Amino acid sequence: MIFKNFTELSLDEKKQILEKRNSPEVANFAINKNISLDEHLEFIEKLKFSKDIYLALFDDEEMIGVISFTRIDNDEGFFGLYKITQRKVGEILMNKMLEYGFKNLKLKKIKAEVFEQNTKALKLYEKFGFKITKKHGNLLSIEFAMRGGGFK
């Protein structure tokens, strides 16, 4: 499996991500519900000058999901993810996200915000050891802190 930075994707790959990002299964749990192609391409262009990291994960030639790290500050950052494929890849995406965050970015704490009604995501995050730390209306803050000897 390999990561490709959004800024290195082909136009077709960028369009594939946008199509999935605007699908009801992803957009229903996003702040911005519908993004135009122009907005999407402009966002990706701005990533070249940002600390935010957006990665597409490929299994051979198939793009299986998206992982992002935003609001990176010192040793903390926020993640986001969603699958592109129809296969069940939630655990793969979580493992790759944690590995990238702890090993590549050297984070000590990884956080996210998730809508309370996104029970499928919450169940997955809790399975991986994330704890709910705050509630703001129907938005929950979760986090996973590095313990002891580090991430293997």
Side-chain angles (χ1 to χ4, degrees):
M1 290 198 191
I2 62 161
F3 284 116
K4 273 191 184 177
N5 193 297
F6 271 30
T7 60
E8 300 167 353
L9 296 173
S10 70
L11 181 58
D12 284 344
E13 290 168 336
K14 291 173 184 175
K15 287 179 178 179
Q16 183 182 0
I17 287 170
L18 177 63
E19 182 180 335
K20 188 62 171 190
R21 169 57 185 77
N22 282 339
S23 72
E25 67 190 78
V26 175
N28 284 343
F29 299 111
I31 301 294
N32 300 321
K33 301 295 182 202
N34 196 3
I35 299 168
S36 73
L37 178 59
D38 286 342
E39 290 170 324
H40 183 62
L41 295 176
E42 183 178 319
F43 168 78
I44 292 172
E45 187 62 29
K46 287 180 179 176
L47 286 175
K48 293 177 181 176
F49 310 101
S50 172
K51 288 187 351 180
D52 294 346
I53 299 168
Y54 282 73
L55 305 165
L57 182 62
F58 287 81
D59 185 7
D60 291 323
E61 298 295 315
E62 181 189 13
M63 186 187 315
I64 64 168
V66 168
I67 297 170
S68 64
F69 290 94
T70 60
R71 296 183 265 172
I72 300 167
D73 186 25
N74 295 322
D75 58 359
E76 296 183 4
F78 283 76
F79 84 93
L81 56 81
Y82 55 91
K83 72 178 189 164
I84 300 290
T85 183
Q86 293 304 310
R87 297 189 292 152
K88 291 189 175 211
V89 295
E91 290 188 17
I92 293 169
L93 291 171
M94 286 297 293
N95 279 316
K96 292 295 185 181
M97 179 277 297
L98 289 168
E99 179 180 347
Y100 193 92
F102 290 129
K103 285 186 172 182
N104 296 61
L105 300 179
K106 308 292 187 219
L107 299 176
K108 301 275 187 274
K109 191 178 286 186
I110 296 177
K111 303 176 179 185
E113 293 175 328
V114 59
F115 287 106
E116 189 173 35
Q117 64 269 31
N118 193 350
T119 54
K120 191 174 179 180
L122 279 169
K123 185 177 177 181
L124 179 64
Y125 302 157
E126 288 172 351
K127 180 178 180 176
F128 275 80
F130 280 81
K131 304 291 183 209
I132 297 170
T133 57
K134 290 182 191 166
K135 183 177 179 182
H136 326 276
N138 67 345
L139 195 62
L140 303 174
S141 296
I142 64 168
E143 68 180 51
F144 182 95
M146 179 65 74
R147 296 174 202 63
F151 186 79
K152 307 264 188 283

